[in-house]
Amino acid sequence: MSSTAVSTAEQLAHDPLQSKLESVFGYHEFREGQRGIMDAALDGRDSLVLMPTGGGKSLCYQLPAICSEGVAVVISPLLSLMQDQVEALNALDINAATLHSGVSAEQSMNTLQALQRGDIKLLYVSPERILQPSFIERLQTLNLSFIAVDEAHCISQWGHDFRPEYGQLGVLRSYLPNTPFMALTATADSATQHDIIERLHLNAPLVHRSSFDRPNIRYVVQEKYKPLKQVKDYVKKQKGVAGIIYCGSRKKTEELAESLQQSGVRAAPYHAGLEHTLKETTLRQFLRDDIDVVVATVAFGMGINKPNIRFVVHFDIPRSVESYYQETGRAGRDGLPAEAMMLYDPRDAQWIRRMIDEQDNEQRRAVEAQKFSAMQAMAEAQTCRRLVVLNYFNEYSDKECGNCDLCLDPPTRYDALEDAQKALSCVYRVGQQFGINHVVEVLRGSKAQRVLELGHDTLTTYGLGKAKPQEHWFSVLRQLIHRGLIIQDIRRFAALQLTEAARPVLKGEVPLELAKPRLELTATKTRITDRGDYNKILFRRLRKLRKDIADKEQVAPFVVFSDAALVEMCVHYPTTAADMLDINGVGEVKLARYGQEFMSAIEAFLAGASERQLFNG
């Protein structure tokens, strides 16, 4: 063995994280932030991890778990995700198991016995199960490496998906004071982040905040005019790739799924009112690529570990930017091109607002109303949609993405300095204590009772904008929010507040262009683009081979290899073990289990392929 090989082996021996990253998971480099999070876990330090879907959150606890003594416990409300992750880990010869209400008594007993013997490295548990007093007592007897709380936004009253049982997880700290905690979420604004740290009693945690940007996802909003036809036409253009369509009601999911089936699409509905066995069948068929499209209510997909979803369609507008981001984030988790398409009709927004107003809890009603206002603003945005999403999560930028409908088909721009000064001045004059509706009323010289009672009809900005319609000023203010000149304080009923970036605009020191408000949305013709640098003929053959193996082993195809790994194979044509290990996602276990079949298929393709097939596949 050469001295270089010896030194590399020695380095890996002293760096178990890097060694296991390559040998077990088949990756050669950590993604941004992962290494620091894992080191914190191994050092016994608490952490709060904000990382987008598809950003590598799961690896942040899976890898340090297998490099630690004892067992790591992962708390998740997503039963299907837990099962998918356990299945994928077991395929890598990692001892993982799950405990929740859907597990049989016999399976639970076997898992508990294996846990006591120390045979399990990762245990996935539902919040209801872990809070049982008898289970907490059991945890106190185990050698715990750390506890990971996934979907941690569910803990917070400010989160978009608050769950009371999740809010109780903080009690675990009093029973397990020396066990480090890792809280992970893909969606949390600053108020939610503070709430997570406080409620879980995280001790001086490492806070890692990855970029929320998912550049491989194209964001598209279409005017909703003939929704059934629009969706059917859209799905047909995708040519059999996997997708999810979200609807606002159970009835819509069934009607749309039936209509797609009649059009020859392999589709199925999914909602809480269907029989459990039918839902389980649909989920498994989707995971195993036996159906292409699931038409569902919003609960579906939260826990799906399916990396090759190429599109997500919102038939109806979601209720928050967090929900939209999380649901669209289920597309393109493998890093390949994907698309998020939403149909928008202002009447749908009115219906949701009525639903929110019927909430009994005043505080919850206020939070949901403010979050929906931000979502509606995103749907009606005239600036880059990705900027709107990123700025919502306090990731401020003014560089447009070039991969959303507004970047690809941009609206007309105009010199908006005077409009911006009027709007910003009005926000300031009302004391930065009121929301967007009130500011617009003052700008347009409204005689509304509240405006008069507050004396805001005497302000210098009163009526400054009366020459332009209400929709114009809503658009201007939303664009100023999206550009980071104004923030909405969710803790103060979405009151508008100026940021430091507003100062030079108010003083007229810098120019400012905004999009001329589109008071009517126009439909955009788009399709998912292909990265185009790999052999499509070979990809189809390897995809079929993968499906045959997966069916034989009764697992989802991505458990064998991801689409991203297959694409790499169709770029580099690996025909030796060393070449195959250079493919991301191919570790030693998968090489031993599947490598030879794929190398043989690639060799056979190369032997029989014409020059044209090689270069124009």
Side-chain angles (χ1 to χ4, degrees):
M1 184 182 293
S2 70
S3 59
T4 303
V6 171
S7 63
T8 301
E10 288 175 349
Q11 288 172 4
L12 290 177
H14 289 96
D15 189 354
L17 286 173
Q18 181 68 44
S19 175
K20 296 292 186 184
L21 179 75
E22 295 185 20
S23 65
V24 177
F25 293 96
Y27 300 116
H28 308 296
E29 296 178 349
F30 292 99
R31 294 188 186 182
E32 187 262 328
Q34 285 182 326
R35 182 65 196 245
I37 296 162
M38 295 177 192
D39 285 338
L42 295 180
D43 291 341
R45 184 180 175 188
D46 290 348
S47 58
L48 171 60
V49 179
L50 290 95
M51 195 173 278
T53 303
K57 280 198 309 298
S58 301
L59 199 65
C60 288
Y61 54 78
Q62 291 173 349
L63 186 49
I66 66 174
C67 293
S68 302
E69 295 293 326
V71 58
V73 175
V74 182
I75 304 170
S76 172
L78 311 174
L79 306 191
S80 58
L81 175 65
M82 291 195 284
Q83 197 57 50
D84 290 344
Q85 290 202 1
V86 166
E87 192 175 89
L89 288 167
N90 290 341
L92 295 172
D93 290 344
I94 297 170
N95 290 330
T98 183
L99 288 171
H100 55 74
S101 58
V103 176
S104 69
E106 182 181 0
Q107 285 177 300
S108 294
M109 184 59 66
N110 291 338
T111 296
L112 291 173
Q113 289 173 352
L115 198 58
Q116 291 301 138
R117 292 194 304 268
D119 291 344
I120 293 176
K121 294 302 296 180
L122 281 125
L123 178 68
Y124 289 77
V125 189
S126 63
E128 298 84 359
R129 183 63 180 266
I130 204 166
L131 288 170
Q132 291 177 357
S134 60
F135 196 77
I136 292 175
E137 287 180 19
R138 184 182 294 274
L139 288 177
Q140 291 175 300
T141 68
L142 299 175
N143 178 18
L144 297 177
S145 52
F146 58 87
I147 291 180
V149 182
D150 205 2
E151 308 296 334
H153 59 273
C154 296
I155 289 169
S156 172
Q157 62 178 326
W158 303 110
H160 70 288
D161 192 24
F162 174 63
R163 302 186 182 203
E165 70 276 8
Y166 241 61
Q168 300 169 31
L169 291 176
V171 303
L172 293 173
R173 208 61 203 250
S174 59
Y175 294 103
L176 303 164
N178 299 317
T179 302
F181 277 63
M182 180 190 296
L184 307 101
T185 179
T187 47
D189 56 22
S190 57
T192 304
Q193 293 171 43
H194 291 305
D195 217 21
I196 292 170
I197 292 172
E198 188 175 297
R199 287 179 174 239
L200 274 182
H201 308 294
L202 300 184
N203 180 28
L206 166 76
V207 178
H208 172 79
R209 190 176 182 279
S210 291
S211 170
F212 283 86
D213 193 11
R214 296 284 306 282
N216 63 311
I217 300 177
R218 175 186 293 171
Y219 297 117
V220 175
V221 177
Q222 287 191 9
E223 179 185 2
K224 190 176 189 179
Y225 56 100
K226 293 182 179 178
L228 193 60
K229 182 178 186 303
Q230 284 173 281
V231 170
K232 286 166 66 174
D233 289 347
Y234 179 86
V235 172
K236 286 179 184 177
K237 287 180 184 177
Q238 308 314 323
K239 296 181 180 178
V241 300
I244 302 174
I245 302 171
Y246 287 108
C247 296
S249 71
R250 298 176 182 182
K251 183 180 179 183
K252 285 182 187 176
T253 65
E254 294 187 14
E255 290 175 350
L256 183 52
E258 184 179 354
S259 182
L260 287 171
Q261 289 167 1
Q262 291 172 353
S263 299
V265 177
R266 297 192 303 171
Y270 189 105
H271 61 72
L274 296 174
E275 290 183 7
H276 177 73
T277 52
L278 180 58
K279 289 191 294 183
E280 283 296 302
T281 299
T282 297
L283 177 60
R284 287 295 150 196
Q285 286 180 329
F286 187 55
L287 287 172
R288 295 181 182 180
D289 293 344
D290 292 325
I291 59 174
D292 298 319
V293 179
V294 173
V295 187
T297 49
V298 294
F300 178 77
M302 284 186 69
I304 284 190
N305 187 28
K306 183 176 172 65
N308 65 330
I309 295 171
R310 298 268 66 86
F311 67 87
V312 169
V313 173
H314 280 94
F315 195 82
D316 303 299
I317 184 173
R319 292 173 71 139
S320 70
V321 176
E322 289 96 335
S323 295
Y324 174 80
Y325 180 80
Q326 194 170 57
E327 287 155 13
T328 58
R330 287 160 200 159
R333 289 177 58 183
D334 52 13
L336 299 180
E339 188 165 86
M341 195 270 279
M342 179 169 68
L343 299 179
Y344 178 64
D345 181 342
R347 289 176 297 181
D348 291 345
Q350 294 168 10
W351 176 74
I352 290 176
R353 286 196 177 278
R354 286 198 298 271
M355 297 273 289
I356 292 171
D357 288 341
E358 292 172 3
Q359 278 260 16
D360 291 331
N361 185 311
E362 183 179 355
Q363 184 184 48
R364 195 68 205 155
R365 184 168 66 244
V367 170
E368 289 192 21
Q370 291 152 30
K371 286 183 177 292
F372 182 65
S373 291
M375 184 64 234
Q376 188 176 2
M378 186 272 178
E380 297 173 356
Q382 297 300 312
T383 51
C384 169
R385 298 200 195 276
R386 195 178 313 276
L387 286 188
V388 177
V389 173
L390 294 179
N391 288 352
Y392 179 84
F393 292 113
N394 303 319
E395 189 174 326
Y396 299 117
S397 173
D398 59 3
K399 185 178 179 182
E400 297 182 338
C401 74
N403 193 30
C404 72
D405 58 325
L406 291 172
C407 286
L408 296 167
D409 181 21
T412 305
R413 300 275 173 181
Y414 80 109
D415 180 356
L417 183 61
E418 185 179 335
D419 279 356
Q421 288 173 327
K422 289 178 180 179
L424 294 170
S425 296
C426 195
V427 171
Y428 179 77
R429 294 296 176 193
V430 299
Q432 303 183 75
Q433 296 180 32
F434 296 88
I436 192 168
N437 288 294
H438 186 79
V439 171
V440 170
E441 285 187 333
V442 174
L443 268 172
R444 298 197 66 249
S446 168
K447 300 291 187 183
Q449 184 178 349
R450 183 162 170 75
V451 172
L452 301 178
E453 285 177 351
L454 292 165
H456 287 172
D457 58 328
T458 65
L459 298 176
T460 56
T461 52
Y462 179 76
L464 272 183
K466 61 185 177 184
K468 293 176 180 174
Q470 183 183 50
E471 293 82 3
H472 174 89
W473 291 110
F474 271 108
S475 177
V476 167
L477 282 162
R478 284 169 179 151
Q479 290 185 64
L480 294 176
I481 292 168
H482 303 157
R483 287 179 173 271
L485 277 69
I486 303 173
I487 59 171
Q488 289 177 293
D489 189 344
I490 193 171
R491 291 166 290 192
R492 297 180 56 218
F493 301 98
L496 302 184
Q497 297 177 335
L498 305 184
T499 69
E500 192 59 33
R503 188 184 300 274
V505 175
L506 277 167
K507 290 184 174 181
E509 296 172 351
V510 293
L512 180 68
E513 280 194 349
L514 294 179
K516 193 172 182 180
R518 280 180 179 167
L519 303 185
E520 291 185 6
L521 294 173
T522 56
T524 308
K525 293 182 179 179
T526 60
R527 63 183 181 84
I528 301 171
T529 56
D530 195 334
R531 54 179 275 182
D533 61 348
Y534 63 97
N535 193 294
K536 311 299 189 302
I537 298 171
L538 177 58
F539 180 79
R540 289 193 290 271
R541 294 186 187 182
L542 296 186
R543 198 166 182 259
K544 183 181 184 306
L545 171 61
R546 180 183 66 176
K547 183 72 169 73
D548 292 342
I549 293 172
D551 287 348
K552 193 184 305 179
E553 297 191 358
Q554 295 189 319
V555 297
F558 65 81
V559 171
V560 180
F561 288 126
S562 68
D563 275 13
L566 296 190
V567 165
E568 271 199 59
M569 293 179 199
C570 296
V571 172
H572 300 293
Y573 304 110
T575 56
T576 67
D579 290 343
M580 189 62 87
L581 285 171
D582 282 338
I583 302 296
N584 271 301
V586 181
E588 292 173 2
V589 172
K590 287 194 176 182
L591 174 66
R593 189 168 292 168
Y594 311 119
Q596 190 54 57
E597 287 184 82
F598 280 82
M599 287 188 289
S600 297
I602 293 167
E603 286 176 343
F605 172 77
L606 292 174
S610 67
E611 186 174 332
R612 182 175 179 276
Q613 286 177 316
L614 281 174
F615 294 102
N616 299 305

